[in-house]
Amino acid sequence: MAGTRSCASAADREVGPTTVHDDVDVFQTCTPEITLETPHKNLNASQKFEAAIRRFDEENARDPNQENGQPRELLYAQRLTNWVLRLCPNPSEAVRLAARCQHLCRWKIPRADYPMTRTGYLKWRTDLKKFHAQRAGEILRDAGYDDETIRRVQDLNLKKNFPADPECCLLEDALCLVFLEFQFADLAAKTDDDKMVNALKKSWEKMTEVARAEALKLNYSEREKELIQKALA
């Protein structure tokens, strides 16, 4: 089982007006004039963060693939951000940045460019992670972040020290929950049961107990429930 971390309980997260709702961008800011054209030496810490997040979103907004009328990777980044904050309402700045750039410009390295084999798939995934981390580092450096912060965000992108690193576990939990909430149904509809059960087992093994509890609260079809039950048996 993946590691643990110190964050508010699920009950704490669900009480009151701070509850995060799906597809609501919790990183919207009220200072649109702050951009990376502003010299980073003039930006305070909050403005640097806002500028970096805005630049990540601008990059992902160029995704030609659409989902629910929005660029797919922009929507994915917002969903991942929301899950991170639902699991841990006060994550570090590095985690918040990593969540927003985890799939940065993913469409630029299509799966079709690699052999349709297990080896080809793994090479594609490895190259994607490196690409995301490199592009994120460039944007963070332009925003004025120091090398230590950039390296930390990239380590999270690359999932280094998982599952020993609690923040890496937090990001992995959020990734798994985005999959279960928004991608599981479509994948299950075109995948045979054995492959789907195996994929669910792998996801479940990577998740912490907190994330597993959240996963069991999601809405599933009867077939999806059966697949999860088989995976957990």
Side-chain angles (χ1 to χ4, degrees):
M1 185 186 73
T4 60
R5 57 178 177 272
S6 297
C7 288
S9 68
D12 292 337
R13 293 193 302 272
E14 294 171 354
V15 174
T18 58
T19 301
V20 177
H21 298 285
D22 297 332
D23 295 346
V24 174
D25 184 1
V26 295
F27 281 175
Q28 288 177 342
T29 69
C30 57
T31 55
E33 71 278 4
I34 300 300
T35 70
L36 291 185
E37 278 63 51
T38 305
H40 59 67
K41 66 181 180 180
N42 295 329
L43 301 183
N44 61 34
S46 176
Q47 290 172 331
K48 277 197 302 186
F49 176 77
E50 292 165 3
I53 293 297
R54 186 172 293 106
R55 183 62 184 279
F56 290 151
D57 286 354
E58 287 172 353
E59 292 288 306
N60 279 329
R62 297 187 177 99
D63 188 354
N65 305 294
Q66 296 284 304
E67 182 178 345
N68 296 341
Q70 298 185 57
R72 181 182 297 165
E73 294 306 337
L74 178 61
L75 182 59
Y76 185 91
Q78 293 169 353
R79 288 168 168 172
L80 186 60
T81 293
N82 290 350
W83 264 117
V84 164
L85 294 177
R86 286 170 69 173
L87 292 167
C88 186
N90 295 297
S92 71
E93 185 169 342
V95 170
R96 289 181 289 162
L97 290 166
R100 206 63 166 203
C101 65
Q102 187 68 25
H103 281 187
L104 189 63
C105 299
R106 193 178 185 87
W107 69 93
K108 292 186 177 182
I109 302 182
R111 174 69 179 93
D113 287 356
Y114 294 76
M116 292 300 166
T117 61
R118 177 67 176 168
T119 300
Y121 171 77
L122 294 175
K123 180 66 165 59
W124 173 64
R125 290 292 299 271
T126 298
D127 288 351
L128 272 176
K129 287 193 291 185
K130 291 179 180 178
F131 169 71
H132 298 323
Q134 177 182 350
R135 187 72 188 102
E138 293 168 354
I139 290 174
L140 291 171
R141 190 165 287 108
D142 286 345
Y145 278 97
D146 58 39
D147 289 344
E148 182 179 355
T149 301
I150 293 170
R151 188 161 48 248
R152 178 57 178 157
V153 172
Q154 291 177 322
D155 284 350
L156 290 168
N157 288 150
L158 295 168
K159 302 181 183 180
K160 288 188 176 180
N161 300 319
F162 177 83
D165 183 339
E167 290 191 326
C168 196
C169 290
L170 169 60
L171 192 59
E172 186 65 36
D173 279 350
L175 288 163
C176 291
L177 286 162
V178 169
F179 164 69
L180 289 169
E181 184 173 14
F182 298 106
Q183 300 170 332
F184 175 31
D186 286 344
L187 184 60
K190 57 187 178 184
T191 306
D192 66 58
D193 285 8
D194 288 343
K195 288 183 178 179
M196 199 67 245
V197 167
N198 186 53
L200 288 169
K201 283 182 178 179
K202 290 180 178 180
S203 292
W204 203 259
E205 289 171 357
K206 292 186 290 186
M207 296 163 68
T208 65
E209 291 298 333
V210 171
R212 291 174 181 178
E214 292 294 325
L216 294 176
K217 298 175 187 177
L218 298 175
N219 294 321
Y220 303 105
S221 70
E222 288 305 314
R223 177 170 179 263
E224 291 157 18
K225 290 177 183 177
E226 291 176 2
L227 290 170
I228 291 174
Q229 289 171 355
K230 289 180 180 179
L232 301 186

